[in-house]
Amino acid sequence: MNEITLNWNEYTESAIMTACEGTVMLENNDNVLPLKKGTRVALFGRMQTHYYKSGTGSGGMVNVNHVTDIREGLNDCPDITLDAELMDIYDKWDAENPIDAGLGWGKEAWSQPEMPVSEELSKTLSARNDVAVIIIARTAGEDRDNSSDKGAYYLSDTEEELLDTVSKTFEKTVVLLNVGNIIDMRFVKKYGIKAVLYVWQAGMTGGLSVARILSGKVNPSGCLPDTIAESLDDYASSANFCKDLKEDVYQEDIFVGYRYFSTFDKTDVLYPFGFGLSYTDFELTDKEFSFEDGKVTVSVTVRNKGAVSGKKAVMLYCKAPDGKLSKPARVLAGFAKTGNITAGGEERVTIEAPLRRFASFDDDGRTGLGSTGFVLEKGTYEFFLGSDFISAEPVGSFDLGENTMLEALGTALAPTKAFKRLTAIPNGDGTYTKGEEDVPVATVNYLESRMERVRPEIPQTGDLGIKLADVKHGRNTIEEFVAQLTDEDLCLIIRGEGMGSPKVTIGTAAAFGGVTRELKAMGVPTLCCTDGPSGMRLDSGKKAFSLPNGTCLASTFNVEIVEELYTFLGVEMLSNRIDALLGPGINIHRHPLNGRNFEYFSEDPLLTGLMAAAQVRALEKSGVTPVIKHFCANNRETHRREMSSAVSSRALREIYLPAFEIAIKEGGARCVMTSYNRINDIYSACHYDQNTMVLREQWGFKGLVMTDWWAYINKEVTIAEKYSLEDHSVMARSQNDVYMVCTSVERENLLEADTYKELTEGDGSNITRAELQRNAINILNFAMNTPAMDRVEGKELTINHVDNPFSDDDVEVDTDVFYSMEDEVTIECKTKTSRGKDFVFGITCSKQGYYSLAFTGYSNLGELAQVPMTLYITSIPVAVITWNGTNGELVTKEAECMMYTKNCVFRAHFPSGGVSIKSLTVKYLRPIDGVEGQPE
Ligand code: BGC
């Protein structure tokens, strides 16, 4: 088969239905929802026309042609009438009080000022409408944690007044939360709100899903992937989250989210993990429990007792016995989602829970089994079935007579210095008192014995004409191919080029694999990756489908629906020649204020892992690859590249690593991105324990590992302050195979990193040839099974699009200002960019040829800010330059392009702002194909 079809109607429908299923209804008093036929709705909240399709940062930069907001979605419902006058009032106010787009990357507002609504207006509206629907919207994102301010985690004063006024005047008030993170929910009780729904940030079609739920076309079945507590201070991680710029101590240890609340403070919970209402009622009957073949199996009949059809998520929780190790009172051991059960109908579902899902990690051998590792302590294992962790009911138990070691694992990744962690001291009556103890520290330095895990160096042969395709088709071995690589090749293959490398699809995050002329000549494909995770980020300005965000997906508790949706995305990637998506992000919602929670899934590692595995299977099925990120313990954005997560081996194994392990072992993930942060003082990008011991030696991962963009590495791993972007040697030694990203990767740039010098002049303590050959094998084995390899072999698939909503940007580009040039011209620009701004200029050249365009400018944004600038000639994108923050210093960024005609109109487009361009120098470089020519 060399043709496939992407039906955009099916893709869109899949996204809408997934978001419907991710909508979580927390209240529906007096059955105010669904809205009955003919309901007149007063729609409040200025964000009714500014829906947040996603959070901010790299995961939110999918260009779309249109976002269906909630007003548009509801307006499309024939059964609902929106109050036209109120919409006019909002439109007028909105025009007078425009949205504050913020200063750019990492500096966006968490919310927009709300329009005040007088009691008089509200009364008038309540007289002619049946229901008030209020939208509260929030955003946060990369480089931008949410905050405990009003207008962020808390409601703003105007929002409070709005809720107060409207709920007093209307009999029925519904609140919709268009948010990426959970927010303070005390308003529900305070104002007696009848219905509340987390509609999350559900991509470009989000408003349509909201409309289907409110109108009752779809029955909500989403459940909370996080626990909502009464107060922010109730979360155990609040004590340390972002309190110290350099280090975040994970003192709460394994007691994250519901694990904490179920053990200690259940009464602090407003809405528990797993909670979500429906328009119908379900009953769980005929429960069967068994424990055999190393797993627990529970079957149950889900009966729909109500009047409308609906789906139901069923969760199984375990309570492990008290013993030497503290245990959370509940741990999610499995879940299942029914299909659509008609009123009065039923469905039997089965949940299987292998022992590892509820085992504990003994990180100092205290259970007496002779090692550290995953253990089951003796005693009674009780299981609970239901949805949320509080109301789930006992379903069965089994007794274990002996402490049992499931998997003996060393102390890899353990802290090097002690700190206190939370423990649970049993009171004997099923309740627990909080205690604390020192975390066990590392007992082995695995790095010292690293050469024992490296295969002998492969003698170099020079180029024998073996191509990578010969290896793929079994004509040669990978070792024979790698033997041909020179030291230069070995040092360059571990570099990625970006952002906006001209070697791959324009406007993407990086090119990797066959980056240099020499590697390409040997048949190594040039691979292309881009963000991720909720659709493709194409900084060329090209449009792509924007999908529901991670938290919304997790709320579905439906792995099949997520898998189906991501299969479409896989095909869309193929049609853009993108081999790898930088996502899913599978860090844990350790704290409600983490800015990137919208990209991630949940506070629970199993739910996160199974959702990630679904996406991995889907993308791989389509022929492309996800890059699971950020490995690991990247749970805050504040000072993310400078901070260390101080975390016990146990918390890593039970909370922060399992999602990665599941995505790899159950999903088949082949690509991992390490994180910016340090883990117990060592940078993730060069963390030997993480990238070799845990990932490859213990989990059997055979794929490729890349760094996050411009990650820090520290050669002297214990001296955190001594980091650099160039110490690729120790990155490679740890088996993080590719450094992302370098501006240009060719032989000329060989000495821009330390690897070549270390290899040829060093004593082998930082890198050896055998290790670099191992990195090359990791990269090449991965590269061989990619669409880019198919292209090298001339086997590219043809994608037929049905009803593609996106057409290529038809931008009118015109200017009267032309600069004439011979060999060089400098143009003073003084352009301060803002979101959507274009800088248009014309060049009149006297010869055809390649020209360099060097832009000089600065940005006051943070160093990791990504401000793409797409350079078009007329409407054809020719280059993308990504600016980072420069602390106000002037820097020069260069692009190369061909000028063929005499008068060329250029457009530099900024999808987001924050850069000031001072000048531009255009320089003639060389003729086209070596032939001097007059421009046409
Ligand atoms: C983010 C990654 C992202 C990368 C490329 C980094 O700043 O942390 O998640 O994939 O940029 O855009």
Side-chain angles (χ1 to χ4, degrees), residues 511-584:
F512 60 116
V515 266
T516 63
R517 292 179 285 270
E518 294 74 15
L519 289 164
K520 270 181 86 169
M522 297 171 98
V524 181
T526 316
L527 307 165
C528 173
C529 62
T530 206
D531 285 305
S534 309
M536 285 180 303
R537 165 184 170 191
L538 299 169
D539 288 346
S540 60
K542 196 165 179 217
K543 312 283 186 281
F545 202 95
S546 138
L547 284 73
N549 291 173
T551 308
C552 179
L553 300 180
S555 303
T556 65
F557 277 80
N558 183 343
V559 282
E560 284 85 17
I561 205 170
V562 171
E563 191 166 333
E564 182 191 278
L565 177 62
Y566 269 70
T567 312
F568 290 107
L569 173 57
V571 180
E572 192 191 358
M573 286 168 62
L574 271 184
S575 77
N576 285 277
R577 295 192 162 177
I578 287 164
D579 304 280
L581 183 79
L582 303 176

Side-chain angles (χ1 to χ4, degrees), residues 58 142 531 537 596 629-630 640 673 676 708 866:
S58 61
E142 189 173 344
D531 285 305
R537 165 184 170 191
R596 293 184 89 170
K629 67 187 188 185
H630 309 87
R640 60 185 171 146
M673 183 195 295
Y676 280 130
D708 199 343
Q866 298 172 12

Side-chain angles (χ1 to χ4, degrees), residues 57-59 61 105 142-143 499 508-510 529-533 537 539 581-583 585 596 599-600 627 629-630 634 637 640 673-676 706-710 740-741 864-866 882:
S58 61
M61 291 167 82
W105 177 281
E142 189 173 344
D143 260 332
M499 307 184 78
T508 52
C529 62
T530 206
D531 285 305
R537 165 184 170 191
D539 288 346
L581 183 79
L582 303 176
R596 293 184 89 170
E599 286 182 62
Y600 307 148
V627 182
K629 67 187 188 185
H630 309 87
N634 181 180
E637 289 301 294
R640 60 185 171 146
M673 183 195 295
T674 51
S675 51
Y676 280 130
M706 60 177 71
T707 66
D708 199 343
W709 270 231
W710 310 288
M740 294 293 195
V741 278
L864 293 177
Q866 298 172 12
T882 304

Side-chain angles (χ1 to χ4, degrees), residues 223-224 272-276 282 284 312-317 332 335-336 384-393 557:
C223 299
L224 281 179
F273 172 91
F275 180 77
F282 295 97
L284 303 185
K312 168 88 178 155
V314 185
M315 287 69 139
L316 179 69
Y317 299 91
L332 184 71
F335 60 89
F384 302 84
L385 194 70
S387 288
D388 66 83
F389 77 87
I390 292 182
S391 68
E393 292 179 354
F557 277 80

Side-chain angles (χ1 to χ4, degrees), residues 416-436:
T416 44
K417 59 174 194 281
F419 55 89
K420 297 279 182 222
R421 70 173 169 194
L422 178 62
T423 60
I425 305 165
N427 297 328
D429 59 356
T431 64
Y432 295 85
T433 302
K434 289 173 210 166
E436 62 172 26

